[in-house]
Amino acid sequence: YILNLIEDRIMAPVARGKKSKRVVTKYVLDCTHPAEDKILDPEDFVTFLNNRVKVGGKTGNLGQNIIITKEKNTVALNADIPLSKRYLKYLTKKYLKKNNLRDWLRVVASNKTSFELRYFQVDNEDEADE
């Protein structure tokens, strides 16, 4: 009897009847400028993401948890499971490097849930002075 009292006090309380809310995160990647210049194909980028995003430590395990779609020149990613924005930026940089676009394009966060691919600003004033 005394042992049961001690065990009851040591054990952490268990929350019963509470269901966790499903958090849906949506990230948007705007590829408008490179797509209009025919440098980057958003459809190819969607297939790259489908092949590379890891769920539970495995690639190609998206299921219904992560949905990647292309809308005109933007790529939208909806996730029911926790997915960091940093991971999406990492994969975007990896795609740019693979297609040798990393020297001309950079990934910039335009707001809390979206990225934008921008060209590097090149200053030609230095060359003109010489």
Side-chain angles (χ1 to χ4, degrees), residues 74-91:
T74 61
V75 175
L77 188 136
N78 294 321
D80 292 343
I81 57 174
L83 183 78
S84 70
K85 186 177 172 185
R86 187 81 188 138
Y87 181 56
L88 184 60
K89 185 175 182 177
Y90 163 76
L91 288 174

Side-chain angles (χ1 to χ4, degrees), residues 31-106:
C31 310
T32 305
H33 298 295
E36 287 175 350
D37 295 338
K38 304 268 192 272
I39 292 177
L40 180 132
D41 181 24
E43 191 65 42
D44 185 40
F45 182 54
V46 169
T47 52
F48 176 83
L49 286 177
N50 278 323
N51 294 334
R52 294 294 177 104
V53 172
K54 286 187 178 181
V55 177
K58 297 178 182 175
T59 58
N61 191 17
L62 298 181
Q64 295 297 322
N65 296 327
I66 297 177
I67 300 167
I68 304 170
T69 57
K70 180 183 91 80
E71 302 159 6
K72 293 185 182 176
N73 289 331
T74 61
V75 175
L77 188 136
N78 294 321
D80 292 343
I81 57 174
L83 183 78
S84 70
K85 186 177 172 185
R86 187 81 188 138
Y87 181 56
L88 184 60
K89 185 175 182 177
Y90 163 76
L91 288 174
T92 306
K93 286 180 173 182
K94 198 170 182 112
Y95 174 78
L96 292 175
K97 185 68 175 174
K98 178 184 164 199
N99 292 323
N100 297 323
L101 297 173
R102 190 83 175 90
D103 294 335
W104 293 281
L105 294 171
R106 65 189 190 130

